[in-house]
Amino acid sequence: MITEETLLDFMREAAYKPMTYQELHRELGVEGAESFKAFLVMLNQLEEEGRIIRNRNDRYGVPERMNLLRGRVQAHAKGFAFLLPEDKAHPDVYLHANDLASAMNGDIVLVRITSKSESGGRMEGEVVRVVERAVTQVVGTFDNHEAYGFVVPDDKRINRDIFIPKGQFQGAVSGQKVVVRIVSYPEGRSAAEGEIVEILGHKNDPGVDILSIIRKHQLPEGFPEDVLEEAEAAPESITEEEILSQGRRDLRGRVIVTIDGEDAKDLDDAVNVERLPNGNYLLGVHIADVGYYVREKSALDQEAYRRGCSVYLVDRVIPMLPHRLSNGICSLNPQVDRLTMSCEMEFDAKTLKRVRHDVFTSVIRTKERMTYTNVRKILQDEDPEVTERYAELVDSFKLMEELAMRLRSTRMKRGAIDFDFVEAKVIVDENGKPVDIVKRERSIAEQIIEEFMLAANETVAEHFYWLRVPFLYRIHENPDSEKLLAFVQFAANFGYTIKGKGGSAIHPRALQTLLEDIRGTKEQTVISTVMLRSMKQARYEAESLGHFGLAAEFYSHFTSPIRRYPDLVIHRVMREVFEHGGVLSDARLEALGARMPDIAQQSSERERVAVEAERDTDKLKKAEYMLDKIGEEFDGIISSVTSFGIFIELENTVEGLIRLSDLTDDYYHFHEQHMLLVGERTSRMFRIGDEVRVRVEHVNMDEHTIDFALLESTGSAAAREGQRAGRGNRGGAGGGAARGAAGGAGARGGRGGGRSAAGGERAAGAAGKRGGQKRAGASERVGAAAGARGGGARGAGARPGRGAKEQRGNGERGGMVFARRGSDSAARNEGERRGWKPEDDYNLNRIMGTEDGTVSSESAASTSKGKPEHAKGAAVRKDMWGLPILGTGGVIDEGEYEHFSPGVGSRRGRPGGGGRNQVGGSNGNRRGKAPSSANKGASGNAGSGTNQRRRKKPAENGAVNTVNSKPDAGDANVVKKKPRKKKNRAGQAAAAAEPKQPN
């Protein structure tokens, strides 16, 4: 008899070439009519499953030998998708929206690779065939168009509406949530067509929102009749004969308790701790023996397999097993006998090494049904009332705390990674309306149970691994080397070094050490979040591949068989091994080994569905909770930074978005490696962990999203200090001249009344070059600004080379304090000749505070003596176009900066400073505008705002200032014979030097 594996192995041979079914029949030696018929059936079945391919010549082969790849489609809301290959070693394949054919999210497809990178790491492909449909029903909102209708899917990964013919409305009206069965799938430009099979109700009706999510994820609600019948047949209690006949160990005399949440009803784990005569700890973990009541291949077992796990939504629980079992005979209720699977572990009192363990079937009777709150009150709060109530258990709880904390310490030392993220629970009323959001505390009680369950899971996994029996393991693979390297580089930006061995090999202990180092620091949130994103998802597997996050060689899920199917399977295997003396037959080993990979994959997939459903309901109810808080202000922290905006998490864990388009004070650039946004001109910075104050602007109940508006950012110390410098450097020590020279938002009468000094500098520099210098690059076109100390020369600041008369005060421009001033012309010219690179936008080391950004001591000394600054080697910070960044504290002058205004020469000036079309503040062609008092008080070339021509003064510091010589790029004060033409040229030059507005 030819098996599937025999046929597939034959087709995978290197010498194989596609054959017809007749050639395969002869080659494989199939004899007899019945064998030939079975062979054809097998061929058809393998073809339907996509495991073999029949080409147009009716010849068969395996996909991988025909340049095809089998996998699952992971669609994106924007239309494109990725293929997740079944071959785990193969990289994901990008699928363009036009190459999806009729495939939808979750479909099993065959893809042809159309292009790949030189390294082979990035591939693109097209869908050749859909093997298996994952989406057969769609939940969405119905829209009636009289002659036809459309259903807008709730799942945004289905980015095409479903067309409904007029005869298939089933009485649905616009605005109702409906379930649609897909009749034909989208192909090319044609939409999918469907028929309405269920009307859930209007989208605004109470309860319809959660019901829509249940239908969207195809979660079951009720149980089939045969499943309920089996559950009803289970006994309500156990008998002594039952205990004796099974040879269970009697632990009913032990002090065993359950510790769970107040609202928990399915109590599937209990614990006890004792101090042995030799001083060692004896830890017992006892789990409800659910496998005894849910037999293999029964209706209960098959339904549990389909569900995979219990789903915990905001207002309800969708259980894996009927309540008759989960809340009844399988729940370890107090003072009643229950059948359990027990794992006892003895730990050395000094080293805490596990010196002995035993796994066996048992019967227990728990003493008390404890809650996390009461245990916390006993151990942490020392509440006298609760302590007195459970007086006989207090010593046992203190011993549990002692052992749990030592176990935790040992686990941390070996390198287990502990992410201490805050979780929240949405409280809803009887109508499903959210009334509050409360944080879930991780008290000592939760930690006790967590440590004990981890110890039992590791012990059971190792025990059965060495027995060499088919088993299910919980694995967490090592992070992808590229993602881990990116994280290491990211952490290095904050000054943290992660030690590794062998290049990219990093032990989890190094990551846990980093988490300990950053605990309590401002960057804790940002680094922890990025670290978590760099890791892979944990999943179930039939092989033990270790658990990176726990730094454990062996790990399984043994402790929750009521709500997780893998735990139930493990219990069943354990009992079978116990009943057969630790040895299983070869046939049984083969049967279990063949089924375990399928169970692992199904359980992993169902777990992901449950997580998505839980996340959807949380987002829904959190959005609904914020619906009546539009306009209110909240404090929050930046939880994520993207190229399109900033995600903000409030104190109550609600998350919303500040869109990049709403940040109107500057152009912001996204730096992916540093995960931050930096303002082009102001250098204002947003990164994960920064504190902000926001206002709720909009709540979208269709998308379950919240939009915030930024009110105040308090998280970035460098940005705050820079903004204060930009606003506060108004007066200086020298009065009027300093007000003209300091630059920033304070120049010329304050933030609102004055023009930015940047415009005057750029106009003067451009005019000087049009008057005699050859045209150069973008940086050179604004040479005057690059060499200026204060604001603009003759426009709003002092010319380089002038003394204390023209530039008094602290000598530093009113911008960001981390951008040092410089006047060394050689260094500047060298920088201007070099082509612009993206990394030249900003000195991120200075912005992030990892490099000293203060003015040099020599420069400060020279300034204090009344001499001009000459900070050698320093350079003015420039933007992406090579123009100097003259920060103004993030305040826009009526939304118009010369830096963003292409038509500078045509704009009319305003009171409080020289016009935008002027070089040095001269007001020759303006109408009825008075000069500002600040400019009147400025001395030298600080700009008076009047029409008089100025006398040339001797150049200082060796600068040549003759009529016949070409003016220096930094000398904005060269006066021509025709000032009016010069002004016009200045305006034109300034306009030419301006960058084009981004679209």
Side-chain angles (χ1 to χ4, degrees):
M1 183 69 179
I2 303 299
T3 64
E4 292 182 359
E5 289 305 318
T6 304
L7 177 60
L8 292 174
D9 290 341
F10 175 69
M11 291 184 175
R12 292 187 183 114
E13 292 179 0
Y16 177 81
K17 63 178 182 179
M19 298 181 181
T20 64
Y21 74 91
Q22 296 96 336
E23 292 171 338
L24 286 170
H25 167 250
R26 289 193 300 269
E27 198 70 28
L28 295 173
V30 179
E31 298 179 356
E34 290 298 323
S35 298
F36 181 66
K37 183 179 179 181
F39 174 71
L40 292 180
V41 171
M42 182 176 63
L43 270 181
N44 291 333
Q45 183 177 351
L46 289 174
E47 184 185 0
E48 289 178 1
E49 294 174 356
R51 299 172 68 184
I52 64 174
I53 298 296
R54 183 176 62 176
N55 62 21
R56 64 187 66 184
N57 295 324
D58 290 334
R59 295 180 179 274
Y60 293 89
V62 288
E64 54 266 33
R65 294 291 304 279
M66 303 175 77
N67 195 30
L68 296 176
L69 189 63
R70 178 186 165 106
R72 183 179 298 275
V73 173
Q74 185 179 71
H76 191 275
K78 292 185 177 179
F80 62 87
F82 285 93
L83 179 78
L84 308 182
E86 291 183 349
D87 181 4
K88 303 301 181 185
H90 196 287
D92 296 347
V93 180
Y94 173 78
L95 304 173
H96 190 273
N98 296 334
D99 297 326
L100 282 173
S102 63
M104 301 176 73
N105 183 61
D107 288 351
I108 302 295
V109 299
L110 294 175
V111 167
R112 177 180 291 112
I113 306 299
T114 56
S115 66
K116 63 175 65 177
S117 62
E118 293 182 2
S119 62
R122 297 182 179 179
M123 299 185 180
E124 295 186 16
E126 60 181 0
V127 174
V128 174
R129 178 184 164 195
V130 177
V131 176
E132 180 182 339
R133 294 287 183 184
V135 180
T136 58
Q137 291 187 346
V138 173
V139 178
T141 305
F142 182 69
D143 190 7
N144 190 347
H145 290 270
E146 298 298 336
Y148 58 89
F150 277 101
V151 171
V152 181
D154 288 349
D155 189 349
K156 300 309 172 186
R157 292 171 297 184
I158 305 175
N159 50 23
R160 294 188 184 182
D161 298 346
I162 312 298
F163 175 77
I164 308 295
K166 187 172 184 179
Q168 304 296 334
F169 289 4
Q170 306 298 330
V173 298
S174 294
Q176 286 187 328
K177 290 285 185 179
V178 298
V179 180
V180 176
R181 183 176 67 84
I182 297 180
V183 176
S184 63
Y185 288 84
E187 193 75 47
R189 295 186 177 181
S190 63
E193 183 176 331
E195 59 182 6
I196 295 176
V197 295
E198 184 180 5
I199 300 175
L200 304 179
H202 195 274
K203 61 181 181 181
N204 295 329
D205 291 346
V208 172
D209 48 6
I210 298 291
L211 188 59
S212 298
I213 292 176
I214 291 173
R215 293 288 193 274
K216 168 187 170 182
H217 294 283
Q218 300 183 28
L219 300 176
E221 288 186 280
F223 287 93
E225 286 298 327
D226 55 344
V227 174
L228 293 175
E229 289 176 3
E230 285 189 7
E232 290 296 329
E236 294 184 359
S237 60
I238 58 177
T239 63
E240 289 295 329
E241 293 79 13
E242 198 173 9
I243 298 171
L244 295 174
S245 64
Q246 297 177 34
R248 292 179 178 265
R249 196 176 301 181
D250 193 343
L251 303 179
R252 287 176 286 185
R254 304 273 183 92
V255 180
I256 300 174
V257 298
T258 60
I259 306 177
D260 290 277
E262 280 81 357
D263 54 352
K265 296 181 176 61
D266 50 348
L267 315 178
D268 53 4
D269 58 83
V271 295
N272 73 293
V273 176
E274 300 175 14
R275 178 83 73 175
L276 298 177
N278 60 3
N280 291 348
Y281 300 98
L282 179 66
L283 168 62
V285 177
H286 316 279
I287 309 300
D289 191 359
V290 181
Y292 177 75
Y293 300 100
V294 181
R295 298 294 180 174
E296 186 178 8
K297 296 183 180 179
S298 64
L300 276 168
D301 180 50
Q302 293 175 14
E303 182 67 17
Y305 169 80
R306 283 191 291 269
R307 297 184 177 221
C309 59
S310 296
V311 184
Y312 294 85
L313 305 181
V314 169
D315 64 342
R316 71 193 75 184
V317 177
I318 300 177
M320 186 182 75
L321 296 173
H323 292 304
R324 179 74 168 74
L325 290 177
S326 61
N327 297 355
I329 192 65
C330 294
S331 182
L332 306 181
N333 299 324
Q335 303 298 332
V336 293
D337 296 345
R338 288 291 184 261
L339 302 181
T340 51
M341 302 286 287
S342 296
C343 176
E344 284 190 344
M345 298 151 281
E346 181 181 344
F347 295 95
D348 184 89
K350 294 182 179 179
T351 64
L352 215 66
K353 289 185 178 180
R354 191 178 67 233
V355 297
R356 179 183 65 85
H357 75 272
D358 196 7
V359 185
F360 51 90
T361 59
S362 60
V363 57
I364 66 169
R365 180 183 296 165
T366 58
K367 298 296 182 183
E368 281 289 348
R369 190 264 196 245
M370 298 297 299
T371 65
Y372 293 129
T373 302
N374 285 337
V375 173
R376 174 180 56 80
K377 288 181 177 179
I378 293 172
L379 297 176
Q380 282 186 339
D381 304 341
E382 297 182 354
D383 188 295
E385 182 180 347
V386 179
T387 302
E388 182 180 357
R389 178 180 175 185
Y390 300 106
E392 59 179 5
L393 299 174
V394 171
D395 291 340
S396 179
F397 290 140
K398 290 183 177 179
L399 189 59
M400 287 183 186
E401 179 185 15
E402 178 184 325
L403 175 59
M405 292 302 98
R406 293 193 62 186
L407 286 173
R408 175 179 174 79
S409 176
T410 302
R411 187 164 59 86
M412 293 297 106
K413 287 179 181 177
R414 81 183 183 196
I417 302 173
D418 183 30
F419 292 105
D420 192 13
F421 290 116
V422 177
E423 295 183 354
K425 182 178 181 181
V426 182
I427 308 299
V428 297
D429 59 18
E430 61 277 4
N431 296 321
K433 184 177 180 180
V435 294
D436 197 8
I437 300 176
V438 296
K439 290 185 177 180
R440 291 173 175 164
E441 294 185 7
R442 191 186 179 195
S443 68
I444 184 63
E446 283 87 354
Q447 293 183 48
I448 287 173
I449 294 301
E450 179 182 334
E451 295 302 325
F452 291 174
M453 297 303 115
L454 289 173
N457 285 335
E458 290 184 38
T459 302
V460 169
E462 183 177 3
H463 180 89
F464 285 90
Y465 175 83
W466 294 114
L467 286 179
R468 305 295 183 187
V469 297
F471 214 62
L472 283 179
Y473 299 92
R474 181 71 169 180
I475 68 166
H476 185 214
E477 296 164 290
N478 292 351
D480 180 77
S481 58
E482 291 184 5
K483 290 185 177 180
L484 197 56
L485 178 61
F487 169 71
V488 170
Q489 294 172 345
F490 176 77
N493 294 324
F494 294 87
Y496 295 100
T497 302
I498 302 175
K499 297 181 180 179
K501 56 182 179 179
S504 61
I506 295 180
H507 193 276
R509 185 187 298 111
L511 299 179
Q512 177 57 30
T513 301
L514 174 62
L515 290 177
E516 293 172 356
D517 290 343
I518 64 176
R519 183 167 288 121
T521 64
K522 182 183 175 182
E523 57 265 21
Q524 177 179 1
T525 303
V526 54
I527 295 180
S528 299
T529 303
V530 177
M531 182 190 295
L532 182 63
R533 291 173 181 171
S534 69
M535 295 185 180
K536 294 184 178 180
Q537 272 190 324
R539 59 185 177 88
Y540 296 103
E541 185 56 68
E543 298 179 16
S544 179
L545 303 177
H547 198 292
F548 181 84
L550 295 173
E553 186 177 0
F554 308 100
Y555 193 69
S556 64
H557 273 173
F558 153 75
T559 55
S560 298
I562 289 180
R563 59 185 180 90
R564 291 192 303 234
Y565 190 73
D567 304 52
L568 177 58
V569 172
I570 284 175
H571 279 224
R572 198 176 289 135
V573 172
M574 291 169 62
R575 182 184 307 97
E576 194 169 348
V577 170
F578 296 152
E579 291 174 353
H580 292 82
V583 179
L584 298 179
S585 65
D586 292 343
R588 184 57 180 163
L589 288 174
E590 183 179 353
L592 286 174
R595 190 161 182 240
M596 288 300 170
D598 176 62
I599 296 175
Q601 182 177 350
Q602 165 74 1
S603 300
S604 297
E605 291 174 358
R606 296 309 301 171
E607 178 188 38
R608 284 193 288 272
V609 170
V611 169
E612 288 181 8
E614 293 167 8
R615 195 172 293 157
D616 283 353
T617 55
D618 276 348
K619 286 179 62 179
L620 164 70
K621 291 303 178 182
K622 286 180 177 179
E624 187 179 349
Y625 177 75
M626 300 298 291
L627 198 58
D628 60 352
K629 295 170 179 56
I630 294 177
E632 295 186 19
E633 298 179 4
F634 296 90
D635 291 321
I637 62 170
I638 297 178
S639 59
S640 181
V641 179
T642 69
S643 59
F644 56 84
I646 310 166
F647 285 95
I648 309 297
E649 183 177 307
L650 306 185
E651 183 68 19
N652 57 10
T653 72
V654 169
E655 192 173 59
L657 175 67
I658 299 176
R659 301 182 186 277
L660 195 60
S661 57
D662 293 335
L663 298 175
T664 57
D665 64 328
D666 204 345
Y667 285 126
Y668 285 87
H669 295 266
F670 176 59
H671 293 260
E672 185 173 6
Q673 180 181 348
H674 301 82
M675 289 195 69
L676 53 82
L677 286 173
V678 182
E680 176 183 297
R681 174 182 48 76
T682 63
S683 294
R684 191 180 191 185
M685 183 174 61
F686 297 100
R687 65 180 179 183
I688 301 177
D690 285 352
E691 299 174 358
V692 294
R693 186 160 184 83
V694 297
R695 180 177 62 246
V696 182
E697 287 289 292
H698 178 65
V699 177
N700 187 332
M701 288 305 298
D702 292 329
E703 304 284 344
H704 307 158
T705 57
I706 303 167
D707 288 342
F708 291 143
L710 182 66
L711 298 179
E712 181 183 354
S713 175
T714 60
S716 177
R720 291 199 307 273
E721 192 172 350
Q723 290 167 17
R724 285 197 297 269
R727 292 192 295 265
N729 230 356
R730 287 185 272 190
R739 288 209 302 272
R748 305 202 179 205
R751 288 184 293 174
R755 179 177 81 244
S756 168
E761 282 190 305
R762 282 191 291 274
K769 261 167 261 347
R770 296 295 284 269
Q773 276 192 326
K774 65 179 180 180
R775 192 176 179 104
S779 299
E780 205 166 344
R781 287 198 300 271
V782 288
R789 290 260 180 237
R794 293 188 64 190
R799 187 183 72 183
R802 289 294 175 188
K805 288 183 180 180
E806 295 173 8
Q807 189 163 347
R808 284 172 280 195
N810 61 7
E812 191 165 307
R813 74 172 173 84
M816 293 312 222
V817 295
F818 41 73
R820 279 189 290 189
R821 311 306 309 264
S823 64
D824 189 274
S825 60
R828 185 183 69 242
N829 292 337
E830 180 182 354
E832 291 171 356
R833 286 194 297 269
R834 181 174 63 84
W836 173 82
K837 295 181 179 179
E839 59 266 27
D840 294 338
D841 285 5
Y842 314 100
N843 188 334
L844 289 176
N845 290 331
R846 291 178 183 170
I847 291 175
M848 301 180 72
T850 56
E851 178 179 327
D852 182 21
T854 59
V855 179
S856 66
S857 59
E858 295 179 4
S859 174
S862 65
T863 303
S864 64
K865 295 177 182 179
K867 298 179 180 179
E869 286 184 12
H870 290 284
K872 295 185 178 180
V876 172
R877 190 163 44 87
K878 303 178 179 66
D879 63 17
M880 64 185 295
W881 292 286
L883 301 177
I885 301 174
L886 300 179
T888 58
V891 180
I892 270 201
D893 184 17
E894 294 186 3
E896 301 174 10
Y897 263 107
E898 285 82 353
H899 188 77
F900 298 111
S901 304
V904 174
S906 63
R907 292 193 179 275
R908 293 166 51 188
R910 294 172 298 178
R916 287 195 176 105
N917 56 348
Q918 294 172 329
V919 177
S922 177
N923 205 12
N925 61 348
R926 291 175 53 203
R927 297 180 297 173
K929 303 291 182 180
S932 68
S933 59
N935 290 333
K936 288 179 181 178
S939 65
N941 286 5
S944 64
T946 65
N947 296 332
Q948 65 182 10
R949 286 183 55 187
R950 307 180 187 257
R951 293 176 302 173
K952 293 182 289 184
K953 293 188 177 182
E956 296 180 17
N957 296 330
V960 179
N961 195 6
T962 63
V963 176
N964 295 328
S965 65
K966 294 182 180 180
D968 181 73
D971 191 349
N973 299 294
V974 177
V975 181
K976 299 296 180 181
K977 293 182 178 181
K978 297 180 181 180
R980 186 174 299 277
K981 290 186 179 180
K982 175 190 170 186
K983 294 166 196 166
N984 293 336
R985 286 179 181 177
Q988 295 167 5
E994 293 295 335
K996 291 185 178 180
Q997 283 260 31
N999 292 327

